[in-house]
Amino acid sequence: MGEQCMVTDDLLSDLFGEIRRPDDDKSPWTEVRYAEPLDMHKFVDSVEKLANMPRLSPENAALLFRAQGSKLPYLKPKLWEQLQKDGIAKEDALRIEFDTISYFKARARTYLDPRLIPQEHDVGEWLALMQHYGAPTRMLDWTTSLNVALYFAVARREGSGDSEDGAVWFFETGILLDLMKEMKPYLKEQYAQICADRESFVAFGLNRARPNVWAYYPDLPTDRMLAQGGILTFSEQPLCDHALLIGQALLHYRKEHPKFSGLVKLVIPAEAKAALREYLIKIDVHASTLFPGLDGIGNTIREMIELETKAHLPRAS
């Protein structure tokens, strides 16, 4: 396999400190925790060593990043997470998914600019639009920017403070896609036949869906995707966990290259979150740059007020 790995256990240990190597197929990822959460200069230097080189196509980025809470030991798309939590069987989950796509397609045309309406059977474009507008889908959001992922990992949410650790997951795109090349996606025309009716859609998901994971970038990315360096991953496999699919695939590469880190979960200590938010605002990574429009401006004002408040708090004697 000709792909050269760039993220190794030695590199992660040098950059961040504590490291847990993958030990089995149930948790097939490397976990690393930043050992000096109050030393932001060192952390920023470490982050810069993991930055992507600019690429014309996000699908060619060396690394993809995703932020979420540290306690979640999986990477499940919202649709699968919700249905599994409710104990829905695979066949019923596929029927529900087909109906959600049909429902969205029938109603979205009323509100979309005609130039942005995908072709009828271009399921990838429809799913990307659904994801953008908040519908639970089988797709998972990633970004080509580690700083953007850090923003979402440390952002303060309604009703929550900085008491919990955050996390950023990442992996090397080229190596994964090389490993997945025997399960490459079908042509759009083939997916059009699969999605032609509910019975075909369910039958494919039950009998022919492969445990692949692929990066997907829509033909017409939204302004938010452009601002966030956004890209999606998807799998044909229903009710899947992308952490297991990606992690297990990269473990095979690790057997030939023992120092290769594979899928990585970087834990951001809770005590580092406030300082990281301040750093990200200084480098122009904040709500108004990531969410174009008035909502982003409003959220940036909230973030700035938090920083101002912190700056005026009395220091402990």
Side-chain angles (χ1 to χ4, degrees), residues 7 17 33 38 90-91 120 127 138 159 180-181 200 256 272 276 289 302 312 314:
V7 182
R33 180 183 179 89
L38 300 181
K90 189 177 293 186
E91 181 173 353
E120 176 64 22
L127 285 172
R138 69 165 59 204
M180 293 279 171
K181 62 186 177 183
S200 300
E256 299 175 12
L276 263 176
T289 57
R302 176 182 54 78
H312 288 85

Side-chain angles (χ1 to χ4, degrees), residues 134-299:
T137 76
R138 69 165 59 204
M139 288 188 160
L140 201 61
D141 289 298
W142 297 75
T143 173
T144 59
S145 168
L146 178 52
N147 283 327
V148 170
L150 285 172
Y151 170 86
F152 288 105
V154 304
R156 296 191 70 157
R157 292 171 177 81
E158 195 74 31
S160 67
D162 290 337
S163 59
E164 295 183 3
D165 295 342
V168 172
W169 296 70
F170 61 92
F171 66 92
E172 296 195 39
T173 322
I175 293 176
L176 179 71
L177 298 185
D178 199 12
L179 292 166
M180 293 279 171
K181 62 186 177 183
E182 294 183 2
M183 295 188 290
K184 64 182 180 181
Y186 295 122
L187 298 173
K188 287 184 178 181
E189 294 76 15
Q190 293 171 294
Y191 281 126
Q193 294 178 344
I194 292 166
C195 300
D197 55 68
R198 187 190 291 129
E199 287 68 30
S200 300
F201 186 84
V202 172
F204 176 83
L206 292 176
N207 306 313
R208 294 169 50 206
R210 301 162 295 176
N212 53 6
V213 177
W214 283 90
Y216 182 83
Y217 192 68
D219 295 334
L220 296 170
T222 63
D223 56 353
R224 188 178 297 179
M225 286 191 73
L226 292 170
Q228 297 176 7
I231 192 167
L232 303 158
T233 57
F234 79 95
S235 175
E236 293 173 10
Q237 196 70 216
L239 298 180
C240 66
D241 176 359
H242 287 207
L244 291 179
L245 292 181
I246 295 171
Q248 289 167 1
L250 293 178
L251 270 183
H252 292 293
Y253 187 84
R254 185 181 172 97
K255 291 175 182 176
E256 299 175 12
H257 305 80
K259 292 186 177 182
F260 172 59
S261 297
L263 177 64
V264 179
K265 179 182 180 183
L266 169 60
V267 178
I268 312 296
E271 57 268 33
K273 283 185 171 182
L276 263 176
R277 286 197 297 271
E278 186 173 352
Y279 157 72
L280 291 168
I281 282 182
K282 287 179 179 177
I283 64 169
D284 213 26
V285 177
H286 45 74
S288 59
T289 57
L290 300 181
F291 298 92
L294 290 175
D295 286 345
I297 295 172
N299 281 317

